[in-house]
Amino acid sequence: MHSWRREFARPKLGNKLATLHGQSFEDFFHELMELADPGFFPVRTSQGDLGADGLAISDRKLYACYGPRVFKPSEVREKFRGDLVKAVENRGGDFDRFVFVHNELRGVSPEVTKEISEAQKEYAPLRFENFGLTRMCQVLTKLDDATVEDLVGPFPATELVTGVGMGELAPLLEHLSTRKRHSVTPDGVPVPSSRKLEYNRFSDEMRDFLLKALPYVRLVGDYYRGLNNPFEEDEVAAAFRQEYVELADSHEDPDTVADHLRWYILGNKAASLKDQIDANVVLMHFFGRCEVFRVPPTEWRPHGEVGGGGAV
């Protein structure tokens, strides 16, 4: 799928999910997963679903859907706990991961994430996963264009200039915009080793542009540590990773890949220099986490160093 179509796929999926509730949401989820994963089996509800709305046999994942018209945390917590208890009692040998599938486009409420965190401790070693808009978009964009259009509607006939970025990053970008103005750059901000930057063959101009973001990368970590949602950073990281892999498959020039990742954050409309640097801050956070761009093997040696300091 072309990158401009991926940019449209997310808002189209969001618009689709906004119209789906209850059984219609569950039906859409079943259709999506059956198209994407031949090992996924929808669970019929005629005789009770035993706490499951779907099973992925190969991954040993049990999926439970929550698609209320109004997302009331107390009701969702009660249904989550009820489904979990039934699933463990009736299907405990069938799964290792309990996947919380929902239609809440704004993200899971703190009350619900707290309930999931407590359940993860109580039911260890069972693991829990969040499956919302970002994860659905990851699954959707792996399908062929015709199938995606069947699910969420047709794309524009030609590439358009858009302002569509990752919805979850809007609050983060606002956080960076505000905090950067009041942030004192600490002394001795480490300049990373050129190892990963040189291994990925960035131009000198791109490397210098990316390095300008480094003093503020810590603000991204501060933002995610301050959230009540323990899943959001990993979910966004997974989306970044998928976008990078698809871009790297179609573009050999790493500078072009970096440009497209900025468009992924901001949209491909003209952006101010400040916005581009804010996007670079986010990009370098996930660069440091090794979610994007290639990691050099231990035996590889760079031709030169940018400066002293820790590795990225």
Side-chain angles (χ1 to χ4, degrees), residues 45 47-53 62 66 78-95 98 123:
T45 59
Q47 297 179 348
D49 56 21
L50 302 181
D53 295 309
L62 180 145
Y66 305 85
E78 182 178 352
K79 187 176 187 306
F80 164 79
R81 181 61 69 163
D83 284 350
L84 176 59
V85 171
K86 286 193 294 183
V88 171
E89 289 179 351
N90 295 288
R91 298 181 177 273
D94 296 337
F95 67 100
F98 186 96
Y123 285 88

Side-chain angles (χ1 to χ4, degrees), residues 162-165 173 262-269 271 275-276 279:
T162 70
V164 177
L173 293 172
R262 269 196 301 275
W263 295 347
Y264 183 58
I265 298 169
L266 299 172
N268 67 342
K269 67 178 181 180
D275 289 341
Q276 292 183 57

Side-chain angles (χ1 to χ4, degrees), residues 3 7 37 42 115 124 132 144 150 162 182 205 256 259 261 264-265 271:
S3 59
E7 290 171 4
D37 181 3
E115 183 75 24
D144 62 80
D150 286 342
T162 70
H182 304 290
E205 293 78 11
T256 300
D259 286 336
L261 286 172
Y264 183 58
I265 298 169

Side-chain angles (χ1 to χ4, degrees), residues 158-169:
T158 58
E159 180 173 2
L160 301 176
V161 176
T162 70
V164 177
M166 288 184 65
E168 284 84 351
L169 290 180

Side-chain angles (χ1 to χ4, degrees), residues 243-252 257:
E243 183 71 10
Y244 165 72
V245 169
E246 294 180 357
L247 287 169
D249 283 344
S250 54
H251 299 282
E252 293 186 1
V257 173

Side-chain angles (χ1 to χ4, degrees), residues 127-169:
R127 304 298 295 173
F128 292 81
E129 293 183 6
N130 177 45
F131 197 102
L133 174 61
T134 296
R135 284 283 299 279
M136 284 192 197
C137 193
Q138 285 181 270
V139 173
L140 180 74
T141 54
K142 290 180 180 179
L143 302 174
D144 62 80
D145 289 359
T147 302
V148 172
E149 291 189 329
D150 286 342
L151 287 169
V152 299
F155 291 107
T158 58
E159 180 173 2
L160 301 176
V161 176
T162 70
V164 177
M166 288 184 65
E168 284 84 351
L169 290 180

Side-chain angles (χ1 to χ4, degrees), residues 44-284:
R44 298 189 179 189
T45 59
S46 58
Q47 297 179 348
D49 56 21
L50 302 181
D53 295 309
L55 283 169
I57 303 300
S58 58
D59 294 333
R60 290 184 56 79
K61 291 183 179 182
L62 180 145
Y63 294 83
C65 289
Y66 305 85
R69 188 172 296 276
V70 179
F71 212 83
K72 296 180 180 179
S74 60
E75 294 179 2
V76 173
R77 288 174 60 192
E78 182 178 352
K79 187 176 187 306
F80 164 79
R81 181 61 69 163
D83 284 350
L84 176 59
V85 171
K86 286 193 294 183
V88 171
E89 289 179 351
N90 295 288
R91 298 181 177 273
D94 296 337
F95 67 100
D96 301 317
R97 292 178 182 265
F98 186 96
V99 185
F100 178 81
V101 184
H102 62 89
N103 65 344
E104 180 52 71
L105 303 181
R106 297 169 298 176
V108 183
S109 69
E111 297 97 318
V112 175
T113 59
K114 182 179 180 181
E115 183 75 24
I116 296 174
S117 295
E118 291 174 353
Q120 185 159 283
K121 296 175 185 177
E122 183 178 347
Y123 285 88
L126 183 65
R127 304 298 295 173
F128 292 81
E129 293 183 6
N130 177 45
F131 197 102
L133 174 61
T134 296
R135 284 283 299 279
M136 284 192 197
C137 193
Q138 285 181 270
V139 173
L140 180 74
T141 54
K142 290 180 180 179
L143 302 174
D144 62 80
D145 289 359
T147 302
V148 172
E149 291 189 329
D150 286 342
L151 287 169
V152 299
F155 291 107
T158 58
E159 180 173 2
L160 301 176
V161 176
T162 70
V164 177
M166 288 184 65
E168 284 84 351
L169 290 180
L172 172 56
L173 293 172
E174 178 62 27
H175 171 87
L176 292 175
S177 180
T178 302
R179 295 300 179 90
K180 278 175 58 185
R181 290 198 299 268
H182 304 290
S183 175
V184 177
T185 302
D187 294 332
V189 173
V191 177
S193 164
S194 63
R195 183 178 176 79
K196 186 174 178 181
L197 290 167
E198 184 174 335
Y199 184 71
N200 283 278
R201 298 180 293 108
F202 290 109
S203 68
D204 290 343
E205 293 78 11
M206 179 61 72
R207 181 200 62 193
D208 292 343
F209 189 35
L210 293 173
L211 289 178
K212 291 181 185 296
L214 284 179
Y216 307 106
V217 168
R218 60 188 174 83
L219 297 177
V220 180
D222 292 344
Y223 170 80
Y224 282 118
R225 283 189 293 272
L227 294 180
N228 290 315
N229 186 347
F231 303 107
E232 183 161 336
E233 183 176 12
D234 287 341
E235 186 174 292
V236 172
F240 257 98
R241 178 65 184 171
Q242 180 188 338
E243 183 71 10
Y244 165 72
V245 169
E246 294 180 357
L247 287 169
D249 283 344
S250 54
H251 299 282
E252 293 186 1
D253 179 27
D255 286 17
T256 300
V257 173
D259 286 336
H260 278 276
L261 286 172
R262 269 196 301 275
W263 295 347
Y264 183 58
I265 298 169
L266 299 172
N268 67 342
K269 67 178 181 180
S272 68
L273 179 60
K274 181 189 79 65
D275 289 341
Q276 292 183 57
I277 293 175
D278 286 349
N280 280 349
V281 173
V282 177
L283 180 57
M284 290 303 286

